[in-house]
Amino acid sequence: MYILVVNCGSSSLKADVLDLQSKKTIIELDAERLPLQPIIHINNEEVVYDGKLELGEILVFCLDKIKSELGDKKIEGIGHRVVHGGDYYSQPVLIDEKVENAIEELCALAPLHNPANLLGIQKAKQVFADLPNVAVFDTAFHQTLPNRAKQYAIDKEIIKKYNIKRYGFHGTSHKYIAERAGTFLKQDIKHLRMISCHLGNGASVCAIEFGRSIETSMGMTPVEGLVMGTRSGDIDAGIISFLQTKENWTAQQAEDFLNNKSGLAGLSGLSNDMRDILQKASEGDENARTAIQVFTHRLTKYIGAYTALMGGLDVLIFTGGIGENSANIRNRVCQRLDFLGILLDEDKNKSTQLSNENDVSNISDENARVKTLAIKTDEQLAIAIETQKIVEEKNKVNCIPKIPIAISARHVHLTRETIDILYGKGYELTSYKPLSQPGQFAANETVTIVGPRNKYENVRILGPLRSKDQVEISKTDEFFLGIDAPVRESGNVAGTPGIKLIGKNGETTIKEGVIVAWRHIHMHPTDAELFGVKDQDIVSVDVDDNERPLTFKNVIIRVSDKFKLEMHIDTDEGNAAEIKSGEQGTLMTTTKLVSLNTKNV
Ligand code: ADP
C-alpha cells in the first residue's frame, strides 16, 4: 500500500509517498521558505516554481508534482500531520467536514500550525479527489494524561473559558518510539513503564505507563518543558511580565522571545544546532558549555520526576536528532541516574550509529535494571502506518453495512383481548405512522399506564396486535412508575410484573408484561449472513460517528425474514450516549448467548 504523508507548516512542506510494505520512502518532496521565497526539492532535485507566491497555490503545485511523479502507482490514502486535536481526538481519524471544522476551531490553540495543516488537507482533497484523508494529531497520544497532569493551577473559570490545559505534543513520535521499543525488547508495552526523550529542534519527554502517556513536558503550547533549539522550555511566568514591563514588549514580542530567541540559541549566543554547540564547547566556549549543561540538567530532572510518577522505570529511550546521534548528551543525561537503575554501556553508547536498517540500539549495561535504548524516530512513517490502519478499517467497514440506530420511546403491544376491554369489542387500531420494521405501525390509540408510584398518560400502542401483552419502558420510567421491570428480549414476558392499563373505553390490569427492552438488532437473514451472526447471538456495536464515541455491549441479534436492519435502544440509553435517531453503528464482536433470562444484561 502506498500512502502520501503531508506535513504542511506555515513556511514549509514535507510530503512523502511511502511504500508500507518495504517501509521505504519512494517519493520525497521538501519545500522551504514558503510562501515568499519557495525552495522546492523533489527526490533531492530542485524544482522551479514561478507561480503566485501564495501558500495554497504552492501546495497545489507540489502535490501535482507528486501526482505526476507517481505515474501509474496508486496511493490509497493521505495522512496529514495535524498539530492540535484539542480534547476531540485521542486517535487518528478519517477526515470529514466535522473533523475539518474541529481543526479550524482549534486554530485558536495552535495559530502557527493548525491553519497550515488545514490548508494542506484542503489542497490534498483538491488534487487527489476521492482519496481518504486521515488526520494524525500530535496531541492525540497525550489525551490519556490524568487530570492532575493536565491542569495548570490557575482560576478554573479562566481554564474553562479558554480551554487552558496541558495538551502535550510530539505524540506521534512518542507513541511510535514506545511501540518500536516494545517490539525490539519483545515485550508488551502494556507491562512497561517507559520514558521517551524526543530531542530534536523541538524537544519533549513523555512518561508512558503501560502503553499510555501519563505525563509529558510540553503543555498548552510547545514552549513548555525541555530546553529546545530556540524555545526556552520551563520558565518562571513572572519573568515574562517583568520583561514586558521593563522592555515595553507586546504579547507578540514576548512570544517571539520565548519561541525564537531562547533555548540553546539564546543561551549559547551561537546557534540552535546542538552539533555547533558541542563543537564550540569542546573548544572552550563557556556559553556553549552552559547551554549544554542547562539542556542536560533539565532533562535529567524530568527523568527523575517521571520515574517517581510511575513508581519506577523499565525503559528509557532517546530519539530525535540529538537523542539519536549524540552519545555525549546521552552520557551526560544518564551520568548520575544509576540510583534509578539506569546505567549505560559506554562502548555501546559511543559506537551507536542508527540508520533505517539499524533503527534501535540497546546502549545499557547488561546489568542495568533499566533498558536504555536509542531509537530512530520516523514521524512520516508513523503517520503513514496510522493512516494505513484507518484506511484499511474504512475499506472493511465499507463492505459491511452500518446499522441504523432507532430510539424507542415507551410503548405497549396489546392482545385482542386487552384491546376489547380498553377500546371496545372488535376495535381495530388505526395507523398514526408506519414503523421501520415492515408491517408494524404506531397507532393513533394510546393508553395510560398506572404504576404503584406514578402513571404515564398517552403511551402509544404499537400495531399489529400480538399474542401477549407487553409494556416496554426505560429504567428511568421504572423508577417513576415504581415498578421493578427486568431487562428482557421482546416476547419473553414470563414472570415479569403486571400493570394497570386505562383505555378510552375501559381499564384492566395485565398480570405480566412490563419489561425494559434488551437492546437489540433486527436483521433479515441476508444481513445475518453478511455479518456472520445468528438469531440470539450477543454482539457489541460501536457508535463512532457520535461526538462521544462509545460501544454498546450485550446487544442481542434478532433474525427474521420480516425484519429490516435496525438497532433499537431505549430513551435512557439514547440520552446517556447523546445519540439521536438516525445515527449509525458498526457491529464489532459476537459471543454466544448464555442465558436469555439474565436480568443484569
Ligand atoms: P526537528 O525537531 O527539526 O525534527 P531533528 O530531530 O532533526 O529536529 O533534530 C535536530 C537537532 O539534532 C539539531 O539540534 C542537531 O544539531 C541535532 N543533531 C543532529 N545530529 C547530531 C549529532 N551527531 N550530534 C549532536 N546533535 C545532533
Side-chain angles (χ1 to χ4, degrees):
M1 188 188 263
Y2 297 116
I3 296 282
L4 169 63
V5 176
V6 177
N7 183 345
C8 181
S10 54
S11 64
S12 68
L13 167 72
K14 190 162 169 48
D16 299 331
V17 178
L18 287 97
D19 174 356
L20 267 294
Q21 200 156 16
S22 64
K23 300 209 162 45
K24 292 222 160 77
T25 304
I26 60 159
I27 301 171
E28 199 174 353
L29 184 141
D30 284 289
E32 287 171 336
R33 303 195 190 192
L34 307 182
L36 297 180
Q37 303 162 299
I39 303 173
I40 303 170
H41 287 93
I42 187 159
N43 295 335
N44 293 321
E45 283 199 19
E46 187 158 359
V47 188
V48 179
Y49 173 77
D50 54 11
K52 227 161 118 189
L53 298 179
E54 195 254 329
L55 189 58
E57 300 259 336
I58 302 173
L59 293 182
V60 171
F61 171 84
C62 291
L63 294 169
D64 267 331
K65 272 264 165 269
I66 290 182
K67 199 174 181 180
S68 51
E69 192 74 22
L70 271 167
D72 53 9
K73 287 194 188 77
K74 275 183 76 153
I75 52 173
E76 298 198 33
I78 308 174
H80 296 267
R81 176 187 182 210
V82 179
V83 165
H84 224 300
D87 281 335
Y88 296 129
Y89 302 107
S90 56
Q91 304 276 355
V93 284
L94 198 63
I95 298 172
D96 59 12
E97 204 185 319
K98 207 158 110 186
V99 175
E100 280 185 55
N101 290 342
I103 296 171
E104 184 163 16
E105 186 193 318
L106 292 162
C107 284
L109 288 176
L112 298 177
H113 299 100
N114 271 32
N117 301 156
L118 189 58
L119 195 63
I121 292 167
Q122 287 158 349
K123 297 305 171 191
K125 276 168 60 183
Q126 184 182 324
V127 175
F128 296 93
D130 301 331
L131 275 181
N133 284 265
V134 172
V136 181
F137 300 95
D138 267 27
T139 49
F141 184 53
H142 305 301
Q143 280 295 294
T144 49
L145 249 60
N147 206 24
R148 58 178 173 263
K150 271 191 189 155
Q151 295 294 333
Y152 291 105
I154 56 174
D155 180 359
K156 64 180 187 317
E157 296 304 325
I158 289 284
I159 291 179
K160 211 162 127 198
K161 190 165 170 193
Y162 298 108
N163 263 327
I164 294 180
K165 64 178 79 147
R166 309 187 57 254
Y167 292 95
F169 299 88
H170 284 151
T172 311
S173 173
H174 288 302
K175 177 170 186 255
Y176 172 81
I177 288 302
E179 283 169 357
R180 188 67 195 89
T183 323
F184 177 81
L185 296 170
K186 300 192 177 64
Q187 274 182 281
D188 188 339
I189 62 170
K190 289 201 179 75
H191 301 135
L192 296 172
R193 292 159 302 179
M194 309 170 126
I195 294 178
S196 151
C197 310
H198 178 113
L199 313 176
N201 255 321
S204 72
V205 52
C206 180
I208 304 162
E209 188 178 51
F210 313 133
R212 291 157 62 90
S213 166
I214 59 129
E215 211 1 319
T216 191
S217 57
M218 283 178 172
M220 171 163 156
T221 76
V223 175
E224 194 180 339
L226 299 178
V227 176
M228 302 177 227
T230 58
R231 283 175 238 156
S232 66
D234 296 336
I235 184 171
D236 177 352
I239 296 173
I240 297 307
S241 49
F242 173 84
L243 285 174
Q244 279 187 300
T245 313
K246 291 284 177 198
E247 297 279 316
N248 210 11
W249 280 348
T250 59
Q252 201 75 40
Q253 284 171 307
E255 193 177 310
D256 182 48
F257 173 76
L258 289 179
N259 276 290
N260 303 319
K261 305 208 166 81
S262 304
L264 295 173
L267 276 172
S268 69
L270 293 165
S271 163
N272 65 336
D273 195 304
M274 185 57 99
R275 279 166 298 199
D276 300 341
I277 296 171
L278 285 165
Q279 180 58 37
K280 289 286 177 195
S282 70
E283 292 164 10
D285 187 300
E286 271 310 317
N287 294 329
R289 287 179 176 175
T290 305
I292 292 166
Q293 282 164 345
V294 179
F295 181 93
T296 53
H297 169 93
R298 178 95 46 97
L299 179 54
T300 305
K301 191 165 85 173
Y302 267 100
I303 292 170
Y306 286 6
T307 305
L309 283 179
M310 294 189 287
L313 182 65
D314 304 303
V315 187
L316 174 66
I317 308 163
F318 287 97
T319 191
I322 301 170
E324 290 163 25
N325 296 304
S326 180
N328 188 338
I329 296 292
R330 292 191 298 248
N331 172 287
R332 282 172 177 272
V333 171
C334 297
Q335 238 170 45
R336 305 186 62 191
L337 295 179
D338 52 332
F339 79 103
L340 295 179
I342 298 168
L343 194 61
L344 298 192
D345 177 324
E346 210 30 62
D347 289 338
K348 285 191 209 157
N349 183 33
K350 258 199 234 139
S351 62
T352 288
Q353 292 281 345
L354 298 179
S355 63
N356 284 343
E357 289 66 40
N358 180 26
D359 65 334
V360 187
S361 171
N362 181 351
I363 56 173
S364 33
D365 182 277
E366 61 182 336
N367 295 317
R369 216 162 3 91
V370 173
K371 295 267 179 293
T372 302
L373 308 176
I375 305 185
K376 190 171 183 318
T377 194
D378 192 337
E379 280 174 291
Q380 298 290 94
L381 175 62
I383 293 172
I385 292 170
E386 298 285 359
T387 303
Q388 179 191 29
K389 278 190 221 156
I390 302 272
V391 170
E392 279 175 350
E393 225 166 78
K394 175 182 179 286
N395 291 343
K396 224 187 294 165
V397 169
N398 275 356
C399 312
I400 296 181
K402 288 256 186 182
I403 302 167
I405 301 175
I407 299 173
S408 310
R410 71 187 76 91
H411 61 268
V412 302
H413 300 277
L414 300 176
T415 57
R416 175 76 264 163
E417 202 186 351
T418 307
I419 278 289
D420 283 351
I421 301 168
L422 300 181
Y423 271 84
K425 193 134 186 76
Y427 186 86
E428 290 299 335
L429 293 174
T430 58
S431 173
Y432 164 67
K433 66 170 184 193
L435 297 174
S436 54
Q437 293 307 314
Q440 300 197 14
F441 61 91
N444 286 306
E445 292 76 12
T446 60
V447 291
T448 297
I449 53 179
V450 187
R453 196 172 159 262
N454 249 315
K455 65 179 179 186
Y456 281 117
E457 290 175 346
N458 301 319
V459 178
R460 208 167 282 283
I461 305 173
L462 302 192
L465 300 176
R466 289 204 178 170
S467 59
K468 289 177 194 162
D469 292 312
Q470 184 169 302
V471 177
E472 294 184 37
I473 59 173
S474 69
K475 281 271 162 204
T476 307
D477 295 345
E478 230 193 332
F479 285 97
F480 181 81
L481 292 168
I483 197 164
D484 183 20
V487 176
R488 284 288 178 87
E489 191 196 0
S490 182
N492 180 12
V493 293
T496 60
I499 201 161
K500 183 172 174 182
L501 303 176
I502 306 174
K504 211 166 152 204
N505 283 28
E507 58 180 66
T508 183
T509 297
I510 55 170
K511 286 207 177 64
E512 58 183 21
V514 185
I515 63 166
V516 173
W518 191 337
R519 44 185 176 261
H520 55 278
I521 303 173
H522 291 277
M523 27 174 110
H524 193 269
T526 49
D527 294 321
E529 201 180 321
L530 197 58
F531 285 110
V533 294
K534 298 186 303 300
D535 191 44
Q536 306 292 311
D537 272 354
I538 306 290
V539 299
S540 297
V541 174
D542 262 17
V543 184
D544 42 17
D545 298 341
N546 191 272
E547 301 246 317
R548 282 167 53 182
L550 81 163
T551 303
F552 283 109
K553 294 187 177 157
N554 273 310
V555 184
I556 189 164
I557 298 285
R558 302 191 50 213
V559 182
S560 157
D561 56 7
K562 296 192 187 69
F563 288 160
K564 193 176 140 210
L565 185 65
E566 193 170 61
M567 171 161 149
H568 287 178
I569 57 176
D570 71 23
T571 39
D572 277 359
E573 295 166 329
N575 290 341
E578 290 175 17
I579 284 185
K580 293 163 233 47
S581 266
E583 285 198 58
Q584 299 190 320
T586 308
L587 192 140
M588 299 311 286
T589 51
T590 67
T591 49
K592 276 271 166 305
L593 175 64
V594 180
S595 160
L596 254 183
N597 294 330
T598 321
K599 182 161 178 193
N600 300 314
V601 290

